């Protein structure tokens, strides 16, 4: 059973990837036409944000994996490698854009008119603000720390576009007012944005390394969580439970068994109650992924009362 909250989180992250990729293409094309270092740097920033969102999508899918698959596939190692590679790509983009902007300083006065570049940046601001509001509100509504963190990324992307807007507007005024000095604002803001990209890359590397060092909570801590789950009506057994630290918060992944005759809706209600109780009782728990499976009375052993469970028409046991 795929968690509805996970589906919404994944859809929002995919939306961020698609919107940033589209904006990166638009601003890249317009930036080349306008010979604008600031616009090209902002396009690179949007592309880097799309890469960062891809890393977030990898983390979300890793957290959604059932506990038994975590051991079988060793996703933490693969996740760290993928995240670090994506972070390196972002760092390379930042370095290349910085070098390009520095070279552009020598020919700033030769830049063409940039009125249509302002229009592209204005459209970018509108799209980014819409994405920020949507992701931020959705993250708070469904309690997804990953989405909340992702929304902060959209906000930093807005700051990048504002900086680019200042540079392009300065270059436009240079042509209108015949003030050559203002044309240097374009490459200077390009350099500033490249530094923002480097900061983003550094944050991705730091986060990937930190995640690599995450550890599963001590058994006694997990036992407290298991005890709460076992008390919830509808849960027959707790097959596995993993609680992992993600920065300053804890994500719990739990697999439970329920009566095989319950409906999908009843199973979903059980998983909702588990999440609500764990987050209510343990304030350090910020996210819970529940995997619901039908109870198998023959594994790993069979009780004399197991035959009675098949007769139960509801989640009550």
């Amino acid at each position: 059973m795929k968690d509805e909250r996970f589906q919404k989180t994944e859809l929002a992250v995919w939306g961020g990837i698609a919107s940033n990729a589209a904006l990166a293409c638009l601003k890249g094309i317009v930036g080349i036409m306008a010979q604008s270092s600031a616009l090209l740097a902002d396009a690179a920033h949007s592309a880097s944000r799309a890469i960062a969102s891809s890393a977030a999508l990898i983390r979300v899918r890793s957290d959604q994996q059932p506990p038994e698959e975590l051991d079988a596939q060793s996703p933490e190692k693969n996740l760290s490698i993928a995240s670090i590679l994506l972070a390196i790509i972002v760092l390379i983009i930042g370095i290349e854009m910085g070098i390009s902007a520095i070279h552009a300083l020598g020919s700033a006065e030769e830049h063409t008119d940039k009125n249509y570049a302002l229009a592209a940046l204005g459209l970018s601001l509108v799209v980014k603000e819409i994405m920020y509001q949507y992701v931020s509100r959705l993250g708070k509504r469904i309690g997804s720390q990953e989405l909340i963190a992702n929304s902060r990324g959209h906000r930093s992307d807005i700051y990048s576009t504002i900086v680019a807007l200042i540079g392009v507007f300065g270059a436009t005024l240079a042509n209108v007012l015949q003030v050559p000095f203002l044309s240097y604002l374009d490459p200077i803001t390009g350099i500033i944005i490249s530094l923002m990209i480097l900061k983003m890359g550094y944050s991705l590397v730091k986060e990937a390394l930190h995640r690599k060092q995450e550890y599963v909570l001590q058994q006694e801590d997990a036992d407290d969580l298991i005890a709460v789950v076992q008390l919830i009506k509808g849960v027959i057994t707790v097959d596995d439970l993993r609680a992992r630290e993600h920065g300053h918060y804890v994500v719990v992944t739990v697999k439970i068994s329920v009566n095989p005759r319950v409906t999908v809706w009843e199973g979903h209600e059980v998983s909702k109650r588990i999440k609500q109780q764990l987050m209510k009782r343990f304030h350090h728990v910020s996210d819970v992924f529940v995997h619901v499976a039908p109870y198998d009375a023959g594994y790993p052993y069979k009780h004399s009362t197991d035959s009675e469970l098949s007769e139960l028409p509801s989640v009550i046991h």
Side-chain angles (χ1 to χ4, degrees), residues 112-186:
T112 59
D113 183 74
K114 297 177 173 57
N115 289 330
Y116 51 93
L118 290 172
L121 287 170
L123 175 62
S124 177
L125 276 177
V126 173
V127 173
K128 289 177 180 180
E129 182 62 26
I130 291 174
M131 284 304 302
Y132 168 75
Q133 294 295 337
Y134 170 71
V135 174
S136 178
R137 293 177 182 178
L138 179 62
K140 293 176 181 177
R141 187 169 71 248
I142 66 178
S144 171
Q145 292 293 331
E146 195 65 62
L147 275 187
I148 293 173
N150 197 257
S151 69
R152 289 194 290 267
H154 285 294
R155 177 58 78 192
S156 70
D157 210 20
I158 292 174
Y159 297 150
S160 168
T161 299
I162 292 175
V163 172
L165 193 61
I166 293 172
V168 173
F169 185 69
T172 302
L173 283 180
N175 290 330
V176 174
L177 303 178
Q178 297 299 311
V179 182
F181 176 79
L182 291 176
S183 62
Y184 287 97
L185 281 175
D186 187 277

Side-chain angles (χ1 to χ4, degrees), residues 8 60 69 113 186 214 235 264 268 277 284 288 295 311:
K8 291 180 179 180
V60 169
E69 293 184 11
D113 183 74
D186 187 277
E214 289 170 359
V235 177
V264 174
H268 180 65
Q277 285 298 316
H284 61 290
V288 179
Y295 177 68
E311 302 300 325

Side-chain angles (χ1 to χ4, degrees), residues 7-317:
Q7 292 178 327
K8 291 180 179 180
T9 299
E10 188 178 46
L11 181 62
V13 175
W14 270 117
I17 294 173
S19 62
N20 277 308
L23 288 175
C25 292
L26 172 65
K27 289 183 287 189
I29 294 172
V30 176
I32 293 173
M33 294 172 57
Q35 301 177 24
S36 170
S37 297
L39 193 53
L40 287 173
D42 191 42
H45 193 283
S46 292
S48 299
R49 177 49 54 191
I51 294 173
S53 296
S54 299
L57 184 62
I58 294 174
R59 291 193 297 271
V60 169
R61 289 182 170 178
S62 173
D63 291 336
Q64 182 65 13
Q65 285 184 305
E68 67 273 12
E69 293 184 11
L70 295 177
D71 286 334
Q73 300 178 9
S74 299
E76 293 298 332
K77 181 179 179 181
N78 297 332
L79 172 63
S80 297
I81 293 174
S83 299
I84 291 173
L85 288 176
L86 291 174
I88 290 174
I89 293 174
V90 172
L91 289 172
I92 293 174
I93 291 174
I95 293 172
E96 289 295 326
M97 292 312 305
I99 293 173
S100 175
I102 291 173
H103 288 166
L105 278 172
S107 57
E109 297 181 31
E110 301 176 7
H111 290 170
T112 59
D113 183 74
K114 297 177 173 57
N115 289 330
Y116 51 93
L118 290 172
L121 287 170
L123 175 62
S124 177
L125 276 177
V126 173
V127 173
K128 289 177 180 180
E129 182 62 26
I130 291 174
M131 284 304 302
Y132 168 75
Q133 294 295 337
Y134 170 71
V135 174
S136 178
R137 293 177 182 178
L138 179 62
K140 293 176 181 177
R141 187 169 71 248
I142 66 178
S144 171
Q145 292 293 331
E146 195 65 62
L147 275 187
I148 293 173
N150 197 257
S151 69
R152 289 194 290 267
H154 285 294
R155 177 58 78 192
S156 70
D157 210 20
I158 292 174
Y159 297 150
S160 168
T161 299
I162 292 175
V163 172
L165 193 61
I166 293 172
V168 173
F169 185 69
T172 302
L173 283 180
N175 290 330
V176 174
L177 303 178
Q178 297 299 311
V179 182
F181 176 79
L182 291 176
S183 62
Y184 287 97
L185 281 175
D186 187 277
I188 289 174
T189 52
I191 295 173
I192 294 173
I193 296 173
S194 68
L195 293 176
M196 296 173 69
I197 297 174
L198 289 174
K199 182 178 181 297
M200 185 195 308
Y202 170 76
S203 297
L204 289 174
V205 171
K206 185 177 178 181
E207 183 177 354
L209 293 177
H210 177 77
R211 187 180 178 94
K212 189 175 181 180
Q213 297 170 355
E214 289 170 359
Y215 62 92
V216 178
L217 296 185
Q218 297 298 320
Q219 186 60 45
E220 53 267 26
D221 297 322
D223 288 342
D224 293 337
L225 297 169
I226 292 173
V228 172
V229 176
Q230 288 176 327
L231 292 175
I232 295 175
K233 184 180 296 184
V235 177
I236 297 178
T237 61
V238 179
D239 299 320
D240 202 355
L241 184 144
R242 303 294 173 89
R244 294 172 293 161
E245 284 195 341
H246 286 209
H248 300 294
Y249 57 95
V250 172
V251 172
V252 175
T253 303
V254 57
K255 180 182 178 182
I256 63 168
S257 292
V258 299
N259 190 324
R261 300 187 64 183
V262 303
T263 65
V264 174
W265 179 85
E266 289 173 323
H268 180 65
E269 287 299 303
V270 172
S271 66
K272 281 176 60 178
R273 287 199 294 270
I274 290 173
K275 178 186 175 184
Q276 291 169 356
Q277 285 298 316
L278 288 179
M279 294 182 67
K280 180 180 179 180
R281 294 282 299 275
F282 303 95
H283 297 296
H284 61 290
V285 174
S286 61
D287 220 345
V288 179
F289 292 95
V290 182
H291 302 272
V292 181
Y295 177 68
D296 184 358
Y299 178 82
Y301 45 77
K302 186 177 181 68
H303 291 295
S304 59
T305 57
D306 286 338
S307 58
E308 300 176 5
L309 294 172
S310 61
E311 302 300 325
L312 296 176
S314 68
V315 297
I316 301 177
H317 67 278

